[in-house]
Amino acid sequence: MKPDWDKLMDAYADSATALIADVDCTAEGKPLCDANGVRGYPTIKWGDPTALEDYKGARDFDSLKKFADENLKPMCSPANIDLCDAEKKAEIEKFQAMSAADLDAAISEKEKLMEKAEEDFKNGVTELQEKYQQLMADKDKTLEEIKDSGLGLMKAVKAANAKAAKDEL
């Protein structure tokens, strides 16, 4: 992916409205990565710098370039409110009218909901993993019991009978 990413950075190097860059999250860039929820590498983020979103598309140059061409442009935001439709403008104005404390509380509430969704997902995955392991153990035990009940001998007898019948011909 790195060569394609470097090629994309070169393609947008002179853009006045889009920035394509990379950050070393293991060194000086770690605080920036932590602040933007980067948990694995490589992670691609896009959008308003104050509210970056995860990129979920393909990672070859053509796919990255197509996505960048279609999405990396000035977007509706408090800094570009003139690009917003009436509904988004009203939503931004509602948030702008909130006190700093109320806005912080609303953000905190939404972040807690996101954390709960992550926690619920992780718990669900753990439960699925435990169920999978139990099913696998049950299957292995059942297969072993079937083999121990004479399956191998039955197959050996069948093969011997078939060989004897062939030898008689």
Side-chain angles (χ1 to χ4, degrees):
M1 184 187 121
K2 179 75 168 128
D4 287 336
W5 188 255
D6 289 344
K7 187 175 173 183
L8 188 66
M9 285 194 306
D10 289 344
Y12 276 83
D14 296 326
S15 174
T17 59
L19 170 66
I20 299 191
D22 53 22
V23 176
D24 183 353
C25 292
T26 64
E28 295 174 16
K30 186 166 180 7
L32 179 63
C33 295
D34 290 344
N36 286 286
V38 174
R39 293 184 187 93
Y41 313 113
T43 297
I44 300 175
K45 297 279 191 171
W46 72 279
D48 185 311
T50 62
L52 294 174
E53 298 180 41
D54 290 328
Y55 169 76
K56 294 180 173 39
R59 293 174 177 227
D60 60 277
F61 176 76
D62 291 337
S63 299
L64 291 166
K65 178 83 166 83
K66 182 176 189 277
F67 181 86
D69 290 345
E70 292 172 359
N71 294 283
L72 299 186
K73 54 191 172 200
M75 301 168 57
C76 168
S77 70
N80 292 310
I81 202 159
D82 56 312
L83 300 176
C84 301
D85 61 27
E87 185 179 333
K88 279 292 181 192
K89 277 183 187 175
E91 190 174 20
I92 289 171
E93 289 166 357
K94 178 181 94 174
F95 295 143
Q96 288 173 330
M98 295 171 79
S99 70
D102 288 345
L103 189 57
D104 285 342
I107 290 168
S108 179
E109 180 183 331
K110 296 295 184 186
E111 287 174 340
K112 284 178 185 170
L113 291 172
M114 290 178 69
E115 288 170 12
K116 182 174 180 341
E118 281 289 334
E119 184 180 329
D120 290 348
F121 173 76
K122 287 179 184 176
N123 290 340
V125 168
T126 299
E127 290 173 16
L128 284 172
Q129 184 64 32
E130 290 168 358
K131 179 69 172 171
Y132 169 81
Q133 289 172 336
Q134 184 60 52
L135 289 169
M136 185 66 96
D138 292 349
K139 178 195 81 148
D140 291 345
K141 181 181 176 196
T142 301
L143 293 178
E144 193 62 35
E145 289 170 354
I146 292 168
K147 289 176 187 176
D148 291 346
S149 71
L151 177 62
L153 284 175
M154 288 180 215
K155 287 182 176 182
V157 168
K158 180 180 176 181
N161 289 345
K163 185 176 187 302
K166 184 179 175 188
D167 288 345
E168 289 178 12
L169 295 176

